[in-house]
Amino acid sequence: MVIILGIVEGVTEYLPVSSTGHLILATELLGFKADQWALFNVAIQPGAVLAIVVLYWRTFVDVLVGLWQRRPSAFAFVRNLAVAFVPAVVLGLALGDDIELLLGNANVVAWALIIGGVAILIIERLAKPTDKGGVQNVTLMHSIGIGLVQCLAMIPGVSRSGATILGAMSMGVDRKTAAEFSFFLAVPTLSGATALQLYKHGATMAPGMGGWILLGSLVSFVVAVVVVKAFVSIIQRYGFAPFAWYRIVAGAVALVWLAAR
């Protein structure tokens, strides 16, 4: 169970298909209560975060050196991620209890997958990139917009990566930069979400859950490293349409399965 959920997290965290949604559906499919595993599903996200740090370590080092050397591009990089992170912090703290109620609702996930898939097809067709050249070159207003769009992912099944990538593209950010913005924004966002959940519910964890979380995080890290490399190559060649159709089919199948139980 733990290894399976770790694999699901690693595969889906950075794809526009909703890792939280897939973890909820996987938990239900395996015969467990999704709400009882909600903390585990959030707490293993640091493994996926570490994958981005490892894969893009040169970028992080360059930014740190740039901050030391007072390079404008480094300050712009940090500024853009910081302002995009703030809306999630505000809404997460304000609506945390309401959001948690949705984390065990598989029907919400199924519908969100379908609606999100349709939205991806529309945005992919209409988006006209105008901003290019990396996260540091994204405008301040676009960064704020990406942060607001990311908040939609608080609904399980929407997909944090999907919302941020497609939101950025709809504002004119090129595909590669949008994907990398989403990757880097995941570092503070997922780390913050995990810290908040552990702070609120850590004392009530079931015996042995800490070890399960470490194992799940390790598995998600290894899988995410492989998936992120492949994902960038896929979207540059095929775009996001394959993920959109997958979402629609997966959501429809989930609805039929949930209705038949």
Side-chain angles (χ1 to χ4, degrees):
M1 173 71 172
V2 171
I3 293 176
I4 291 174
L5 293 180
I7 293 173
V8 172
E9 165 65 18
V11 170
T12 60
E13 182 58 58
Y14 297 107
L15 303 184
V17 297
S18 177
S19 60
T20 301
H22 277 74
L23 287 167
I24 292 172
L25 291 176
T27 304
E28 293 279 351
L29 186 62
L30 292 169
F32 294 85
K33 295 291 186 180
D35 55 350
Q36 296 176 359
W37 282 81
L39 174 60
F40 174 87
N41 289 342
V42 173
I44 63 174
Q45 291 176 336
V49 170
L50 183 59
I52 293 301
V53 175
V54 170
L55 288 171
Y56 289 91
W57 68 269
R58 286 187 178 85
T59 299
F60 289 107
V61 170
D62 286 345
V63 170
L64 290 174
V65 172
L67 292 174
W68 177 260
Q69 297 177 344
R70 299 180 180 273
R71 292 203 301 261
S73 60
F75 283 103
F77 183 98
V78 174
R79 178 206 65 190
N80 288 346
L81 294 182
V83 299
F85 175 54
V86 169
V89 174
V90 174
L91 283 184
L93 293 175
L95 304 176
D97 293 338
D98 295 319
I99 294 168
E100 288 180 21
L101 292 176
L102 295 176
L103 293 180
N105 195 322
N107 282 289
V108 170
V109 171
W111 280 110
L113 284 172
I114 294 171
I115 295 170
V118 174
I120 289 174
L121 291 174
I122 294 173
I123 293 173
E124 175 87 320
R125 186 177 184 85
L126 298 179
K128 298 184 183 301
T130 56
D131 291 351
K132 300 180 180 181
V135 172
Q136 69 276 8
N137 291 322
V138 175
T139 68
L140 179 61
M141 292 306 298
H142 285 170
S143 298
I144 294 172
I146 294 169
L148 292 172
V149 171
Q150 178 178 236
C151 294
L152 292 174
M154 293 179 182
I155 302 172
V158 168
S159 172
R160 189 206 62 80
S161 60
T164 51
I165 293 172
L166 275 299
M169 287 177 58
S170 69
M171 298 173 205
V173 180
D174 71 277
R175 187 179 290 160
K176 184 175 183 294
T177 298
E180 291 183 345
F181 198 116
S182 177
F183 296 161
F184 298 139
L185 184 56
V187 175
T189 301
L190 300 186
S191 298
T194 300
L196 179 61
Q197 288 300 308
L198 290 176
Y199 172 76
K200 293 173 65 175
H201 305 294
T204 63
M205 283 196 304
M209 179 66 79
W212 297 347
I213 290 173
L214 288 176
L215 176 59
S217 298
L218 176 61
V219 173
S220 69
F221 163 73
V222 174
V223 175
V225 167
V226 176
V227 171
V228 168
K229 287 184 176 181
F231 176 56
V232 174
S233 176
I234 290 172
I235 63 171
Q236 288 181 320
R237 176 173 294 187
Y238 302 108
F240 293 96
F243 302 104
W245 287 112
Y246 166 79
R247 288 179 63 109
I248 293 170
V249 172
V253 170
L255 284 176
V256 172
W257 171 65
L258 291 168
R261 286 197 306 170

